[in-house]
Amino acid sequence: MRLSQSSATTNDAAFELVSYPMHIDGRPHTTGTWFDSENPWTGQAWARIARGDEADVDLAATAAHRAFTTGPWAGMTPTERGKVLVSAADALAAQAGRLAEIEVRDNGKLLAEMRGQMDYIPEWFRYYGGLADKVEGSVLPLDKKGYFAFTRKQPVGVVGIITPWNSPLLLLAWKLAPALAAGCTVVIKPSEFTSASTVEFVRILEEAGVPAGVVNVVTGFGHDVGARLVDHPLVRKIGFTGSDATGRLIGAQAAAGLKRCTLELGGKSPNIVFADADLDAAVNGVVSGIFAATGQTCIAGSRLLVEESIHDDFVDRLVRLARRARIGDPMSPGTQVGPVTTRQQLAKILGHIDQAVAAGATTALGGQVPNTPPSGGWFVEPTIFTDVIPEMDIAQEEVFGPVLAVIPFRDESEAVRLANSTRFGLGAGIWTSNIERAFRMSEAVDSGMVWVNAYRTVSFMAPFGGMKDSGVGRENGSEAISDYLETKTVWINTGAPNRDPFVLG
């Protein structure tokens, strides 16, 4: 639920909350208008965030452009930039525990998961720090005598990064580390629901040696901050993670300015279980694939495609395991399912559940807000639907919550058809002991990523991204840095007469 100005803004003295101003050109910045950030566990405000506007985006973009063209960052060699990123990795690692607690307070995910993410994030900065001085151009073997030509790689310039609320810092690192390694400067617009950790993150980067103005944060709402960031003439590339609907708008808006885009969007990922699979491992994989992170992940395995011959037994096993999931305080190590991050998202999840019931799906587990919620926060029970047909909303649309749709299949060809029957194509899981089938299925499924006898594994070394409506471009891996670089061709006349009839003018 986006806060209206009347409910979101306060004057400086109204709340005794943790205050998070914007961060522009190395300094805290605010215009004196704030909005509240609520803790999903309690449903109560815990922090206030500076509300930025178009003028603040202009300030941040100008600072980023100045840092890109004239500041100390512009004068660094790639090796020097790489060393700064490695120093940033060490600083982030030292603050991992504090960052994890801020993330939990802001987005409600389990502390164990957030601490795991925070401990892993420094690896992106080490990896791309090492890659910074490995970017090379090439000498061209020309067909023309008397010329020497080569290519060089140069940073695109100022990058606008727009991040979601489900894993704010992890998904920021995927974009920020390669952008900085390439030599770009950045303006970040975090989700209005989870801005606090991003402000803290950038402070740590500057303390570690990233020069002022290289990384800036403008907090606020999409219709003013986000829209202006995409439109801004000094911004040359946009990196976005979020819904496909918003991604379409951003892509169209960026195209009008001839800006590059990397869009990591939604998913309706299938977990496909064959009868020859290790069923115990598959049950665990399916449960963690949909109920971990309360289903609030773009690669959630929200569709279970299970071979008919094992359907009933597999569903029984699944329900027994999922029923034992402990709902509670995300800060507690014993909690397995935490709250939904926002009030708006809770309402959306419950709406999808109501639609599924109305369409004839059978509720095998859950489907309700807990009768005795463990706090004043926003919870929904782990939910499993059977008797789902592929055309149902619950099998087609991204719920982004702990809701699983179960669909049986007869054979491999039907499994492929069902897996590919949505407009999304982000992730897919295949559970089988047949290695030939694993290779066949991994090729046939329309998905940017496929896990075999595993699910939701990611690495800074492995490209991440989707097909179809799940996005454009790839993050992570060595190729990701290319999205932040321009190729320049240099021609040098070493003595050739100027008689080339093919010169374009």
Side-chain angles (χ1 to χ4, degrees):
M1 180 179 68
R2 185 158 71 183
L3 298 174
S4 66
Q5 184 165 354
S6 61
S7 64
T9 61
T10 68
N11 60 43
D12 285 1
F15 291 94
E16 295 183 357
L17 304 173
V18 183
S19 296
Y20 287 94
M22 292 172 274
H23 197 83
I24 298 176
D25 205 14
R27 296 183 295 274
H29 174 79
T30 178
T31 58
T33 303
W34 306 82
F35 62 95
D36 293 344
S37 185
E38 296 173 310
N39 183 337
W41 162 243
T42 64
Q44 301 298 314
W46 75 278
R48 61 176 192 167
I49 311 297
R51 181 167 183 165
D53 57 23
E54 294 182 1
D56 299 312
V57 176
D58 293 343
L59 286 174
T62 300
H65 186 258
R66 184 167 55 248
F68 178 71
T69 54
T70 63
W73 185 252
M76 288 185 184
T77 66
T79 300
E80 290 170 333
R81 288 199 306 268
K83 289 179 179 178
V84 171
L85 264 66
V86 172
S87 294
D90 294 339
L92 291 169
Q95 296 291 328
R98 185 169 68 89
L99 289 172
E101 290 184 359
I102 294 171
E103 287 274 73
V104 174
R105 195 168 289 118
D106 226 12
N107 77 359
K109 280 195 172 181
L110 303 186
L111 180 59
E113 179 177 357
M114 289 297 97
R115 182 59 195 258
Q117 288 188 9
M118 297 309 112
D119 285 339
Y120 200 29
I121 281 172
E123 297 303 323
W124 269 262
F125 289 84
R126 294 191 180 102
Y127 178 79
Y128 286 104
L131 195 60
D133 60 3
K134 312 302 185 296
V135 175
E136 299 177 346
S138 61
V139 175
L140 304 178
L142 292 175
D143 62 329
K144 303 181 187 303
K145 295 181 179 179
Y147 288 93
F148 178 80
F150 63 94
T151 61
R152 63 190 306 159
K153 302 289 187 178
Q154 298 184 182
V156 299
V158 179
V159 175
I161 294 177
I162 302 174
T163 53
W165 45 257
N166 58 320
S167 289
L169 295 187
L170 181 67
L171 298 176
L172 171 60
W174 292 11
K175 301 163 182 60
L176 182 59
L180 295 180
C184 298
T185 56
V186 174
V187 179
I188 305 165
K189 190 275 178 196
S191 167
E192 59 267 32
F193 298 110
T194 53
S195 298
S197 60
T198 299
V199 175
E200 293 280 4
F201 193 86
V202 172
R203 290 173 183 167
I204 294 169
L205 294 182
E206 290 193 352
E207 290 169 0
V210 175
V214 173
V215 184
N216 307 273
V217 184
V218 182
T219 51
F221 298 95
H223 63 273
D224 40 28
V225 173
R228 178 57 179 165
L229 183 59
V230 176
D231 275 342
H232 202 283
L234 294 178
V235 174
R236 299 311 312 152
K237 175 182 166 59
I238 298 295
F240 170 76
T241 297
S243 73
D244 63 296
T246 304
R248 290 176 194 277
L249 295 174
I250 288 174
Q253 191 176 349
L258 300 178
K259 303 176 192 289
R260 296 185 184 189
C261 270
T262 300
L263 304 174
E264 197 275 284
L265 308 179
K268 195 65 184 174
S269 301
N271 243 328
I272 308 166
V273 180
F274 288 91
D276 64 359
D278 178 335
L279 298 187
D280 289 336
V283 166
N284 286 327
V286 170
V287 166
S288 65
I290 183 60
F291 298 132
T294 319
Q296 298 172 117
T297 172
C298 55
I299 53 174
S302 56
R303 287 186 298 153
L304 168 60
L305 310 182
V306 59
E307 196 164 358
E308 280 184 350
S309 62
I310 61 168
H311 174 275
D312 292 350
D313 176 55
F314 194 84
V315 171
D316 285 345
R317 292 175 182 230
L318 194 65
V319 170
R320 286 199 301 271
L321 179 60
R323 183 175 282 127
R324 298 203 300 267
R326 294 185 295 276
I327 300 174
D329 183 351
M331 289 286 191
S332 170
T335 299
Q336 295 170 311
V337 178
V340 175
T341 299
T342 74
R343 297 177 191 269
Q344 179 190 47
Q345 189 59 28
L346 177 62
K348 179 184 174 184
I349 294 167
L350 295 176
H352 280 292
I353 289 172
D354 289 343
Q355 285 181 321
V357 172
T362 299
T363 308
L365 181 70
Q368 303 288 332
V369 172
N371 288 330
T372 54
S375 72
W378 313 313
F379 288 85
V380 63
E381 296 172 338
T383 299
I384 298 173
F385 284 112
T386 57
D387 298 318
V388 175
I389 60 175
E391 295 75 23
M392 287 180 179
D393 171 90
I394 203 70
Q396 291 293 322
E397 297 303 320
E398 185 178 43
V399 176
F400 221 68
V403 180
L404 180 66
V406 183
I407 304 172
F409 65 85
R410 292 184 299 276
D411 53 29
E412 192 174 308
S413 63
E414 187 178 28
V416 171
R417 180 181 63 80
L418 290 170
N420 294 340
S421 66
T422 77
R423 59 193 176 88
F424 295 107
L426 189 55
I430 298 164
W431 301 85
T432 180
S433 61
N434 184 324
I435 190 64
E436 292 180 276
R437 172 180 284 148
F439 278 105
R440 286 195 304 270
M441 290 292 295
S442 67
E443 181 178 3
V445 173
D446 294 335
S447 176
M449 298 163 291
V450 178
W451 295 272
V452 177
N453 297 328
Y455 203 77
R456 285 187 73 216
T457 302
V458 298
S459 170
F460 51 90
M461 296 181 178
F464 185 105
M467 299 179 178
K468 301 190 290 187
D469 285 10
S470 287
V472 177
R474 294 293 182 271
E475 297 183 314
N476 304 336
S478 60
E479 68 184 79
I481 197 172
S482 298
D483 285 340
Y484 299 92
L485 294 166
E486 297 277 15
T487 299
K488 178 180 286 185
T489 303
V490 180
W491 290 79
I492 300 175
N493 186 331
T494 61
N498 192 16
R499 301 173 183 166
D500 191 342
F502 299 105
V503 172
L504 300 178

